[in-house]
């Protein structure tokens, strides 16, 4: 698969130098780095745990006077007038 990455110039230069030194491709160096990083994750961090998302059950509603279709009104209600 092809993808585009936006890498720090110094990091890219170091990775290219390592690839040349090891006589391998830049792609292979990046793949190996990703594999090492993914294997190093703690067990609970692998994304296997399912998290419950909160569900609004329809009771209560909005605070009176808040217009739900207006971002400005919602931000003002939060006290974050941007």
């Amino acid at each position: 698969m092809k993808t585009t990455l936006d890498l720090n110039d110094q990091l890219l230069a170091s990775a290219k130098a390592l690839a040349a030194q090891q006589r391998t491709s830049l792609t292979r160096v990046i793949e190996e780095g990703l594999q090492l990083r993914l294997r190093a994750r703690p067990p609970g961090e692998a994304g296997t745990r399912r998290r419950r998302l909160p569900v609004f059950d329809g009771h209560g509603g909005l605070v009176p006077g808040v217009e739900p279709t207006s971002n400005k009104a919602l931000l003002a209600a939060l006290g974050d007038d941007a």
Side-chain angles (χ1 to χ4, degrees), residues 66-82:
V66 176
E67 174 56 48
T69 59
S70 166
N71 288 343
K72 187 175 181 177
L74 292 172
L75 288 171
L78 289 171
D80 188 18
D81 299 327

Side-chain angles (χ1 to χ4, degrees), residues 7-78:
L7 300 175
N8 172 284
D9 291 338
Q10 184 57 44
L11 178 63
L12 180 59
S14 296
K16 284 181 177 181
L18 179 62
Q21 178 187 355
Q22 293 181 349
R23 297 178 190 255
T24 189
S25 68
L26 177 61
T27 298
R28 186 66 193 140
V29 169
I30 293 172
E31 285 175 346
E32 288 174 354
L34 284 171
Q35 288 170 355
L36 288 170
R37 179 70 179 184
L38 291 171
R39 273 190 246 134
R41 287 189 298 184
E45 205 177 300
T48 56
R49 284 186 296 162
R50 298 196 97 184
R51 295 193 174 140
R52 260 183 94 80
L53 294 176
V55 176
F56 177 66
D57 63 6
H59 295 99
L62 292 174
V63 174
V66 176
E67 174 56 48
T69 59
S70 166
N71 288 343
K72 187 175 181 177
L74 292 172
L75 288 171
L78 289 171

